[in-house]
Amino acid sequence: MNAAGRRHQPGPPLPARDDGDVIGLVKSRETHRAIETVFRIERARIIAVLTRFARDVGLAEEFAQDALIAALRHWPDTGVPDKPGAWLIAAAKRRAVDHFRRAKMAEGKIALLGVEAESMVGLPDLDDDIGDEMLDLMFIACHPVLPPEARVALTLRLVGGLTTEEIARAFLVSEQAMAQRIVRAKRSLAEAQLAFERPQGTERTERLSSVLEILYLVFNEGYSATKGEDWMRPQLCNEALRLGRILAGLAPSESEVHGLVSLMELQASRLAARIDAAGMPVLLLDQNRARWDRLLIKRGLAALARAEKLSARAGPYTLQATIAACHARARTPEETEWVRIAALYAALAARIPSPVVELNRAVAIAMAFGPAAGLELADQLASDVALRGYHLLPAVRADLLMKLGRLIEAGAEFKRAASLTQNDRERALLLQRAQSCDEQRLA
Amino acid sequence: MRFMIVVKASKDSEAGAMPPQEMLTAMADYHEELAKAGVLLDGNGLHPTSKGWRITWSGGKKKIVDGPFTETKELIAGYTIIQVKTREEAIEWANRFPNPQIDDGEIEIRQMYELEDFGESEAIERFREIGVATSK
């Protein structure tokens, strides 16, 4: 295949830069946008390969940026090359070689140069599989030496395609603060003098679970929207999902990777249904299931099947995905297999003991065996320190009390939940439910 | 945003001929590339129209017409669905699509509607109302 055959454009593949007229100017702006798009698609892989050489993500990012500048200079005349990714990687490597040559000359180590530079310029095979480097980059961005919020920022910036401004907006901090957070994270990585060796055995498992944790954190930031602008939220979900899908291709034999992807696909399938036309949250059982995204459900169930096939003992993400799949498979809320879901939450609590999981189990038990049984478990959690200030505990208790007809207590618990939530819309919903308790009582 | 890359039919696809190995490889490479970038959502090939049928409405009458159909270029042989952040990204990925036919091929790229695209209108609200049978 040649470039001309692949790019079905009339005339020359891309307009020359010296077009003097307005059309030429518009075209050249379009050309620049097209080049920047190619770059955005390839950026993470360029950084991944260059990190391997430079052993420094900050430098790798700079070399990638240099490659973009080179592309903007050459491609308007030559057209976009047949393998733009390989071209950009080669350009970035040349910049890296220049950089290290200058650095070594400054240090007077010219003699050492020949060999190393040689190994560096070795251009990647055009179809070079750089999956390993991508996985390395994810491992580095999610390195345990960094605090979680730095891992999130670095992952979105280096592996995902988000700009610093976009990440800042999503996490409600100024662009400057986010830029500093990223710079600091890169410096910490450099100072930690990481071995840059591929982790093996249990270390690999731990590092992988850090990546999964960060991806799910990003997804949840978009999904549960504790803060940030509305429009950024689906973008965070989509980005976490995209990175999860990439990871599933890079580590295809890891059961929990598919488990997490399944969980995210299934939760994302409900994105459109969980907010009503007025922007208010809609509870799972009240959602219009016709608005669930069947394509994402199909993908989620397929990923779950892969996860189950790879491991006899389901991990936490796979268990949560199995629960999400129970909901996805039920055509109506009445069809939901609550007994099974309650058992799955018990299995999950055994794997990762957590009062939040127990609270979910209380809800499932209430649905399976009646509100009194659920309330019994929820009440046991009331004294748990970890749940102090957690709005969903009073919210769940309120719901169960209401079902039991204990409307005064229910109303008070809804109000308590409303006072604890950070989310305006959720607060409005809880107050609305408190009010309906009062109305029912007086009716 | 989601885009559907629609692959138009050809004489060969309508004859039900299996594509040559070379093209299958190119297709597999391309879709693998989409998957590695995390943008591939779905894709399928369709049987020839000789196995399909049409339902038409005309003059208040409904009619069923069995395939095959003749206007090959208007027919669909398969599709690929991608999810991307920008229209430019969709343009770039579509540019990388290999020719899906042995001779002259054609693909058509269409953006898929998403719920946000509908905005607020009385008709849309009615659709939502109809759907909200299970909602409060």
Side-chain angles (χ1 to χ4, degrees):
Chain A
M1 275 186 297
N2 58 47
R6 271 167 27 103
R7 304 203 170 251
H8 307 275
Q9 288 174 1
L14 289 161
R17 276 178 306 156
D18 55 7
D19 283 356
D21 56 5
V22 178
I23 297 170
L25 216 77
V26 171
K27 270 191 173 172
S28 113
R29 208 173 294 148
E30 279 173 11
T31 306
H32 274 221
R33 285 195 75 170
I35 293 172
E36 276 160 16
T37 303
V38 172
F39 177 72
R40 242 194 331 273
I41 290 174
E42 305 293 345
R43 185 171 174 275
R45 303 202 290 176
I46 305 169
I47 293 175
V49 172
L50 268 293
T51 298
R52 184 87 183 276
F53 285 113
R55 300 190 166 233
D56 182 309
V57 288
L59 274 179
E61 206 184 4
E62 280 172 35
F63 298 141
Q65 204 60 31
D66 290 339
L68 169 63
I69 292 164
L72 286 169
R73 194 177 303 138
H74 292 285
W75 293 1
D77 297 327
T78 62
V80 176
D82 203 26
K83 300 269 184 185
W87 192 101
L88 287 164
I89 286 173
K93 280 187 174 178
R94 271 192 295 275
R95 296 304 303 241
V97 171
D98 285 348
H99 171 89
F100 287 115
R101 182 174 292 150
R102 274 197 305 273
K104 291 220 158 126
M105 273 174 28
E107 286 174 34
K109 290 183 186 164
I110 290 177
L112 288 171
L113 188 75
V115 191
E116 286 185 25
E118 211 42 53
S119 67
M120 255 196 175
V121 246
L123 292 183
D125 180 5
L126 288 187
D127 295 311
D128 210 3
D129 188 359
I130 53 173
D132 286 343
E133 282 85 353
M134 273 295 277
L135 189 56
D136 291 344
L137 184 62
M138 288 196 187
F139 280 155
I140 292 166
C142 296
H143 200 284
V145 296
L146 300 172
E149 67 271 15
R151 290 183 226 173
V152 165
L154 220 48
T155 300
L156 289 174
R157 182 73 195 109
L158 295 178
V159 194
L162 271 62
T163 62
T164 305
E165 190 205 345
E166 286 171 322
I167 305 167
R169 213 173 273 181
F171 290 92
L172 261 199
V173 300
S174 72
E175 192 181 343
Q176 203 189 356
M178 184 52 76
Q180 271 173 7
R181 186 183 295 179
I182 292 171
V183 167
R184 226 178 297 131
K186 287 182 205 158
R187 201 186 303 139
S188 305
L189 285 179
E191 282 165 5
Q193 302 206 312
L194 306 174
F196 281 92
E197 295 302 326
R198 234 155 246 165
Q200 307 287 336
T202 46
E203 198 201 341
R204 186 176 189 275
T205 312
E206 280 163 24
R207 298 285 297 276
L208 194 62
S209 84
S210 172
V211 176
L212 297 180
E213 186 194 326
I214 294 304
L215 293 187
Y216 196 43
L217 218 115
V218 171
F219 183 87
N220 268 322
E221 191 55 45
Y223 198 70
S224 49
T226 50
K227 52 185 178 179
E229 283 178 36
D230 274 351
W231 67 270
M232 272 307 298
R233 287 167 195 158
Q235 202 181 330
L236 281 183
C237 287
N238 284 335
E239 191 58 20
L241 195 41
R242 189 179 73 88
L243 295 181
R245 288 172 188 150
I246 294 175
L247 184 60
L250 299 176
S253 58
E254 298 288 343
S255 170
E256 277 288 84
V257 175
H258 297 290
L260 174 64
V261 170
S262 170
L263 178 60
M264 293 194 292
E265 302 266 16
L266 291 170
Q267 289 188 329
S269 76
R270 305 199 288 257
L271 269 174
R274 61 202 288 282
I275 308 251
D276 70 10
M280 293 288 280
V282 183
L283 299 175
L284 177 64
L285 296 182
D286 293 332
Q287 286 172 13
N288 175 7
R289 294 180 183 224
R291 286 174 70 181
W292 287 1
D293 189 323
R294 308 308 307 179
L295 181 53
L296 293 186
I297 290 177
K298 183 184 102 174
R299 295 183 57 91
L301 296 178
L304 180 58
R306 276 193 290 276
E308 284 168 343
K309 211 170 150 188
L310 285 166
S311 171
R313 187 164 171 263
Y317 290 116
T318 306
L319 283 170
Q320 292 174 78
T322 312
I323 294 166
C326 285
H327 293 299
R329 285 197 187 99
R331 279 168 299 171
T332 62
E334 294 72 33
E335 276 180 37
T336 313
E337 298 176 277
W338 288 109
V339 176
R340 181 159 182 239
I341 291 176
L344 286 164
Y345 273 119
L348 186 59
R351 294 297 301 265
I352 40 163
S354 143
V356 175
V357 173
E358 284 297 316
L359 186 61
N360 278 296
R361 189 162 78 88
V363 174
I365 283 177
M367 295 303 290
F369 308 109
L375 188 61
E376 201 185 315
L377 181 55
D379 284 344
Q380 287 170 27
L381 298 167
S383 57
D384 199 305
V385 203
L387 290 183
R388 193 178 293 158
Y390 185 57
H391 69 283
L392 286 181
L393 176 60
V396 165
R397 287 197 74 241
D399 188 62
L400 298 177
L401 287 164
M402 194 170 105
K403 282 178 180 148
L404 290 167
R406 292 158 65 176
L407 296 170
I408 298 175
E409 293 161 273
E413 281 293 80
F414 274 129
K415 279 175 202 155
R416 199 156 76 85
S419 73
L420 291 172
T421 181
Q422 307 285 317
N423 185 301
D424 293 343
R425 285 173 166 159
E426 202 167 16
R427 183 177 311 117
L429 181 70
L430 289 163
L431 289 175
Q432 200 180 311
R433 296 195 71 188
Q435 199 188 336
S436 86
C437 282
D438 292 342
E439 282 165 10
Q440 273 186 50
R441 197 154 51 85
L442 300 170
Chain B
M1 44 210 322
R2 290 180 186 177
F3 287 83
M4 181 183 275
I5 301 172
V6 181
V7 174
K8 297 298 188 68
S10 70
K11 249 185 237 148
D12 294 308
S13 73
E14 276 297 281
M18 270 305 273
Q21 203 55 43
E22 198 183 319
M23 187 197 300
L24 282 177
T25 308
M27 279 291 173
D29 287 349
Y30 175 71
H31 283 83
E32 238 171 57
E33 202 189 342
L34 291 177
K36 277 182 189 167
V39 296
L40 177 66
L41 277 191
D42 200 13
N44 266 308
L46 305 181
H47 282 288
T49 59
S50 56
K51 291 188 179 175
W53 63 93
R54 276 178 182 167
I55 300 176
T56 60
W57 286 262
S58 176
K61 275 193 184 163
K62 187 168 148 176
K63 206 168 74 178
I64 295 174
V65 188
D66 283 323
F69 308 113
T70 49
E71 60 283 27
T72 311
K73 276 275 178 193
E74 307 296 317
L75 306 174
I76 292 168
Y79 66 88
T80 297
I81 297 176
I82 58 173
Q83 176 150 26
V84 291
K85 270 184 230 142
T86 60
R87 184 183 166 79
E88 284 77 20
E89 227 182 281
I91 293 170
E92 176 56 26
W93 283 116
N95 269 340
R96 297 184 185 188
F97 206 98
N99 181 359
Q101 304 298 350
I102 298 164
D103 301 316
D104 298 345
E106 184 175 309
I107 58 173
E108 183 175 313
I109 293 85
R110 306 281 296 271
Q111 186 175 355
M112 296 170 78
Y113 275 116
E114 276 162 71
L115 276 149
E116 308 89 80
D117 295 331
F118 291 107
E120 300 305 321
S121 84
E122 200 202 335
I124 295 307
E125 275 320 296
R126 276 171 56 207
F127 274 117
R128 285 187 175 136
E129 290 294 317
I130 299 162
V132 185
T134 55
S135 189
K136 49 184 166 50

